Amino acid sequence: MLTHRTRRAAGGTREPASCSRWLRAWVLVLVGMLPFTAARAEEPSASPAQCSKPELAKSRRSAEQLYRDGRYTDAVESLRRTKESCWSVLDATDRGWLVSDLGLAALRAGQPELCRQVLDEAPAELDAQSRVAKAIAHNRGLCQGDGGFPVQVFFSGLLISSPTEAPEALAREWSHVLELRDGRLPQRSDREIERCTEAEGVALEDLDVTATIELQPARARLLRCRALKKVTQARPSRVSHVRDLFSTKALGNVLPADLAPTFAPGEDEERSRAGREGRTWSSVDRKVRFEADPDRKETLRVQGNGVSGILALWALGDFNGDGIEDAVVDRSMSPEGGSAVDMTTFLLTRTRPGGVLTVLERME
């Protein structure tokens, strides 16, 4: 027992040394943490220079250009980054304009829920009569309304800047008159066609054109007339799965086989059958590739197996009344080294994101 007590007492005399070592260890740990604490403190936050009014205006202009180019998803990401970086240092007005821009870009990118979400973040203290508050209210109405996606047209194809110009374009007199072929459409006493409104019910075969130099311009004119008439009947859409269509990676995997060009008898029906089976352009032409045309908005240069040409987006809207946005797409292709041209305009749609598009109508 004495030995046992002596050991405990001896052990007790060592306690101060043990405590000292424990304290030194914690001091070392705390010292070791200092660099990390300093590093965290040095992480960049919202910089007044980066988020100043001139820089914010520059960011908004950049996003606006993406929006005007039809790159809505890129515009959303650009504005989202600005919001994440600068929100905490912006005043109420700048916050309001930022969420207004972001909401509209999200809507056009096919994300109405994101549109509603960011607009709900608008500062409550904004004057209801201010320009920014009115812009937010307008965009909120677009996000929540039945027509969240307005009808859109592209000048490079239809030669109009707004859907409201379509009726006037249909009635506008052409610079060159087309004539009906003898024996075709005998019920028509007026054998000349001078505008789109006079071309209804007229097929290419009804026209007195035979040379290729006349044939293709006449076909292009008739197709434009068909598309313009569609635009006058289009409605805003509630849902869209075709916005940013031409930005799709591997576009040939979502375009139906119907769009692949044909130059031999019977190929048209083969392509249509392949399209009905759910096959794509890439499945019938493994070499097809698409590249943006730098000179024409919403136009792609197409290169395939022995063929080349262009694919152009002419209009977006609800053309069949189901509330889902459709796309008018024009395709013009020729065999390499040949003079033949396969020129057709399609009305396309799809009912789910990322799916293969469906042909609603083939205009010829």
Side-chain angles (χ1 to χ4, degrees), residues 28 81 102 105 129 134 174 183 291:
L28 290 173
R81 287 194 298 269
L102 179 52
Q129 299 305 313
K134 290 179 178 179
W174 299 335
E291 179 183 347

Side-chain angles (χ1 to χ4, degrees), residues 44-57 59-60 78-92 94-96 98:
S45 57
S47 165
Q50 292 175 339
C51 302
S52 63
K53 286 187 179 293
E55 287 300 316
L56 179 63
S59 298
R60 290 183 62 207
S78 175
L79 291 166
R80 194 202 301 269
R81 287 194 298 269
T82 300
K83 180 175 179 290
E84 290 174 352
S85 299
C86 299
W87 186 258
S88 62
V89 298
L90 298 179
D91 62 28
D94 287 338
R95 286 186 180 186
L98 186 55

Side-chain angles (χ1 to χ4, degrees), residues 31 67-68 86 94 116 118 122 130-131 143 167 179 228 233 236 243 264 269 282 296-297 305 307 313 328 331 349:
V31 170
Y67 182 95
R68 291 184 181 277
C86 299
D94 287 338
R116 291 188 288 269
V118 297
S130 64
R131 288 178 57 238
C143 291
E179 295 186 3
L228 285 169
Q233 301 167 342
R243 293 271 159 155
E269 180 52 36
S282 289
R296 287 178 288 184
K297 185 178 179 181
N305 186 16
V307 296
L313 181 60
V328 177
R331 188 263 291 128
T349 195

